[in-house]
Amino acid sequence: MRPGDVEDEGAAARAGGRLPGDPVPDPGLGDEGPPAGSPPRRRTGYGRAFVHALPVLLIAVAILYDVFTPRYFTAGPLYTAAPLIAAPLYSRRGTALTGVAVVAAVIGLQLGKGVAHYVDSLTELITIATVAVLAVLVNGLVRRSDERLVSVREIAEAAQRAVLPEPAERIAGFEIAVCYQAAQADAFIGGDLYAVQDSARGVRLIVGDVRGKGMGAVAAVAVVIGAFREAAEQEATLEAVAQRLERALAREGTRREGLDAFEGFTTAVLAELPHGAGTVRIVNRGHPPPLLLYADGTLGALPARESALPLGMGELGVWPDRADEVAFPGGATLLLYTDGLTEARDAKGEFYDPQARLTGRVFRHPTTLLDTLAEDVRRHSGGGMADDMALLAVRRPRRGDHDHCHEP
């Protein structure tokens, strides 16, 4: 599809709604209607409340069992389970109180049944008391681990802010929003990247995906972001910015050892929004094509006219970068994303299709779009994403638009 075709499709769709054959979008998307996914969240809340109350329920069931069964029956396993379950859930005081409650219940029931003097009863009491003490110790270990985890998360957040700082919500009249979600639990940054830089020639953007994981990928992200910010300020054209990034990655490749020194690359899409012009220029280096969401809900993809290799693969061939230019009217939103979005699978193995999910939807602000999109991807994948996901949305306000606060 040529970029000009997007404009034709947009005009046709604006004249008569969605294009023929377009899928009917999920009513859970968009600004209108109740938030999707509310029942699952309520079920999750009920489940957490049940787990939190489980130690108390175990004690109650154990007491009832001892009361209504012969004296040679015992609910010892239930008594020992209660403080152990409380250890990772409750505070140290709550865990200790659970242990005290268990020991007191066992002593009271043994005295009531007249079996406190038996050796088996004494052994059971000592066992339960020992488990209660161990539960308090386990609770202390869990709390210290949580504190270390909080410290690690704070460091990760600081690293993310340093490498991928969030852009201002409004730059040169454009409304900007970004979203980053790491596939690995408790991770904040990986190989995906984004950046926004205002320059004398317009607002320049990049969204990319570095091959690989771990600190090597984070280092490459830092190289790309640093080179982009410098090139966006200095280079006269978007094509020259792409070439500057190519050279920066080539230098980085010579310093890296192992497989990445030969196969490291970064897919990226660069965009330029000239000041005062209702257009957008795009250079795509092997990255998923951006989407353009019009003010009336119609949508079109912006694939590159000519295929190009990812950044860092210049040794395989040299082709001049050519920017594609398309209309970017007022009220439209440009969405750039990494393949973590389109590679998210549901339980049936079906990939997430942002074009089908967003067609026909209208969003008042880029932040609303990204919040809705991120939540929909989580529901589609069941919360288990296979890859990191970076999203960047830019909206060109229409003339006469008034500043408004974002309503989540």
Side-chain angles (χ1 to χ4, degrees):
M1 180 186 297
R2 302 187 309 273
D5 296 337
V6 175
E7 299 174 35
D8 296 338
E9 286 186 4
R14 284 190 289 273
R18 287 191 298 271
L19 293 172
D22 277 352
V24 178
D26 189 338
L29 285 175
D31 291 340
E32 64 275 45
S38 296
R41 280 196 290 268
R42 286 198 295 269
R43 287 195 294 270
T44 301
Y46 295 150
R48 289 178 179 175
F50 174 77
V51 172
H52 199 75
L54 190 55
V56 177
L57 294 176
L58 287 175
I59 296 174
V61 171
I63 292 174
L64 292 175
Y65 182 88
D66 274 342
V67 169
F68 292 104
T69 57
R71 64 181 184 179
Y72 48 82
F73 284 81
T74 176
L78 297 179
Y79 289 121
T80 56
L84 291 177
I85 294 176
L89 298 177
Y90 295 174
S91 65
R92 178 173 297 180
R93 180 181 179 184
T95 304
L97 290 176
T98 302
V100 170
V102 165
V103 172
V106 172
I107 293 176
L109 288 168
Q110 288 182 354
L111 291 174
K113 286 186 173 183
V115 297
H117 59 284
Y118 290 158
V119 174
D120 290 346
S121 298
L122 182 59
T123 302
E124 180 186 51
L125 179 60
I126 294 174
T127 301
I128 293 173
T130 302
V131 170
V133 173
L134 291 176
V136 175
L137 297 177
V138 170
N139 177 270
L141 294 174
V142 170
R143 296 303 160 210
R144 282 195 289 272
S145 298
D146 288 344
E147 291 173 358
R148 286 195 294 268
L149 179 59
V150 169
S151 178
V152 170
R153 289 171 67 90
E154 290 175 349
I155 294 172
E157 288 177 351
Q160 183 184 38
R161 287 193 294 268
V163 178
L164 293 179
E166 287 196 10
E169 293 184 0
R170 199 173 185 91
I171 299 177
F174 295 98
E175 297 171 344
I176 313 286
V178 295
C179 174
Y180 191 103
Q181 292 190 352
Q184 183 178 356
D186 298 322
F188 286 85
I189 187 171
D192 289 9
L193 61 96
Y194 58 76
V196 181
Q197 186 74 29
D198 194 11
S199 72
R201 296 165 184 85
V203 178
R204 288 172 168 174
L205 324 166
I206 184 173
V207 167
D209 187 357
V210 175
R211 174 197 172 274
K213 301 291 183 183
M215 293 307 299
V218 175
V221 168
V223 169
V224 173
I225 294 297
F228 170 78
R229 294 197 180 281
E230 182 179 359
E233 288 280 357
Q234 299 177 357
E235 299 295 345
T237 66
L238 194 62
E239 293 88 341
V241 174
Q243 288 301 313
R244 178 81 76 89
L245 299 182
E246 181 73 43
R247 293 192 295 272
L249 280 175
R251 290 193 301 269
E252 174 69 9
T254 61
R255 292 193 292 265
R256 299 176 69 177
E257 299 178 354
L259 184 64
D260 284 341
F262 300 97
E263 297 186 7
F265 62 86
T266 299
T267 67
V269 58
L270 294 89
E272 180 180 83
L273 308 172
H275 297 304
T279 60
V280 56
R281 303 180 73 244
I282 296 173
V283 170
N284 194 323
R285 298 295 295 269
H287 200 76
L291 300 178
L292 190 58
L293 290 73
Y294 293 97
D296 62 355
T298 56
L299 180 150
L302 304 179
R305 283 194 178 120
E306 298 181 11
S307 300
L309 291 174
L311 298 169
M313 300 185 69
E315 294 181 355
L316 300 181
V318 179
W319 293 273
D321 287 299
R322 293 186 176 88
D324 297 325
E325 185 170 320
V326 297
F328 187 22
T333 300
L334 180 69
L335 175 63
L336 287 71
Y337 57 92
T338 58
D339 58 9
L341 175 67
T342 52
E343 291 182 359
R345 297 176 184 243
D346 62 10
K348 299 178 181 178
E350 297 179 357
F351 290 107
Y352 185 84
D353 185 352
Q355 191 167 355
R357 301 288 292 181
L358 295 175
T359 297
R361 296 295 166 180
V362 177
F363 300 90
R364 296 187 297 271
H365 193 275
T367 304
T368 309
L369 166 61
L370 298 192
D371 289 347
T372 305
L373 192 56
E375 175 62 24
D376 195 50
V377 172
R378 282 193 295 269
R379 287 191 284 111
H380 178 83
S381 62
M385 295 175 58
D387 197 4
D388 297 348
M389 178 179 71
L391 308 172
L392 191 156
V394 184
R395 180 178 181 270
R396 178 187 293 276
R398 289 174 291 194
R399 287 188 177 182
D401 279 358
H402 298 286
D403 290 341
H404 59 275
C405 297
H406 165 55
E407 298 176 5

